[in-house]
Amino acid sequence: MIYYQVEMENLTEIEAALGMMKDKSKMVLRTAINNTAKETVTLLVDEVSREYYYKKSDARKTITTKKATTSSLQAIINSSGPVNELYDFKVNPKAYRPKNRPKADHKGNVRRDRDPSYLYLKPGASRDKYKAFVVKYSSGHITIAQRVPGQRMKSDPSKEAIKTLLSPSVPNMLGYEQGVYGIVNPQMYDLLQKNIQEQIQRYLG
């Protein structure tokens, strides 16, 4: 979660700027916080798309914002969602061709700043048994998957089981430690100050 919360000194500064319109200070701050939260969401999804092979629209769908009010001068930005599939990022080739699998193997990548990697568990294994391949499940869902050594399919015990290849969730991509939050965070205070000044001018205007 990302919190926008302000201290009393912000209200004091706004009251001083507004002069006789002190009753408007909380309204100024509330609107400024909410505008900043909205702009921060845009920065976050833009940065996710810049760092990862992931669509802005899909990242935005995971984000909710609890707006500030005059009685609670804080906004909360939250992202929730499961891990994604590698197929949602960059896989090449991506087409489902069960009878014409690529001889050069599939490559996959999550981050834009890294070279794509070949998708197999055991390089050099006989018959390339553990290469990744594009699969279509009985539900009709298409994704990239691999065989699981030692596990058998329930529907066909003569074959090894299949697992979908996964990749980071959107909360992970946005997160504090390894996500894009660290890139966006330095801009948040400046955005808030800009929006406070804009709202003050709006009321004085």
Side-chain angles (χ1 to χ4, degrees):
M1 291 185 184
I2 298 172
Y3 294 87
Y4 269 112
Q5 191 166 6
V6 297
E7 306 298 334
M8 288 304 296
E9 63 185 48
N10 294 93
L11 280 173
T12 302
E13 292 171 2
I14 294 171
E15 288 175 355
L18 291 175
M20 298 300 293
M21 301 174 64
K22 291 184 178 180
D23 60 316
K24 303 294 185 183
S25 60
K26 288 188 177 182
M27 296 174 64
V28 165
L29 202 46
R30 175 203 63 192
T31 304
I33 291 171
N34 289 332
N35 288 348
T36 303
K38 183 178 180 180
E39 291 171 358
T40 297
V41 169
T42 298
L43 288 176
L44 287 168
V45 298
D46 284 350
E47 198 61 39
V48 162
S49 181
R50 187 176 296 114
E51 295 284 325
Y52 296 87
Y53 288 102
Y54 202 75
K55 293 180 181 178
K56 295 179 185 181
S57 58
D58 290 340
R60 191 179 291 273
K61 289 175 185 176
T62 74
I63 298 175
T64 58
T65 303
K66 182 179 179 181
K67 292 185 176 182
T69 65
T70 53
S71 60
S72 178
L73 291 171
Q74 69 171 9
I76 301 174
I77 300 170
N78 185 48
S79 174
S80 60
V83 294
N84 292 298
E85 296 180 10
L86 179 58
Y87 197 71
D88 296 329
F89 290 77
K90 186 173 182 66
V91 171
N92 185 42
K94 204 165 187 176
Y96 172 61
R97 297 191 181 101
K99 295 182 180 180
N100 186 23
R101 297 226 169 109
K103 295 180 180 179
D105 309 337
H106 288 275
K107 287 184 177 181
N109 199 9
V110 171
R111 296 186 62 96
R112 295 182 185 273
D113 60 351
R114 297 177 185 172
D115 294 331
S117 301
Y118 284 109
L119 303 174
Y120 38 62
L121 292 177
K122 296 182 178 182
S126 61
R127 297 168 41 227
D128 296 314
K129 189 175 183 180
Y130 296 110
K131 286 181 180 180
F133 56 95
V134 177
V135 63
K136 183 176 183 179
Y137 290 116
S138 58
S139 64
H141 181 62
I142 297 176
T143 190
I144 188 88
Q146 283 174 326
R147 295 287 176 186
V148 182
Q151 294 186 23
R152 296 289 163 181
M153 297 178 65
K154 292 181 179 179
S155 59
D156 187 354
S158 66
K159 296 181 179 179
E160 286 183 314
I162 294 173
K163 70 171 182 179
T164 298
L165 297 184
L166 302 176
S167 53
S169 66
V170 174
N172 182 270
M173 290 187 280
L174 293 171
Y176 289 97
E177 294 182 3
Q178 298 180 346
V180 301
Y181 174 75
I183 300 172
V184 172
N185 181 48
Q187 304 175 60
M188 292 166 56
Y189 179 78
D190 291 339
L191 284 173
L192 180 59
Q193 294 306 309
K194 173 185 71 72
N195 284 314
I196 288 174
Q197 293 305 314
E198 287 180 356
Q199 290 304 310
I200 289 173
Q201 292 304 314
R202 174 172 171 266
Y203 278 95
L204 292 177

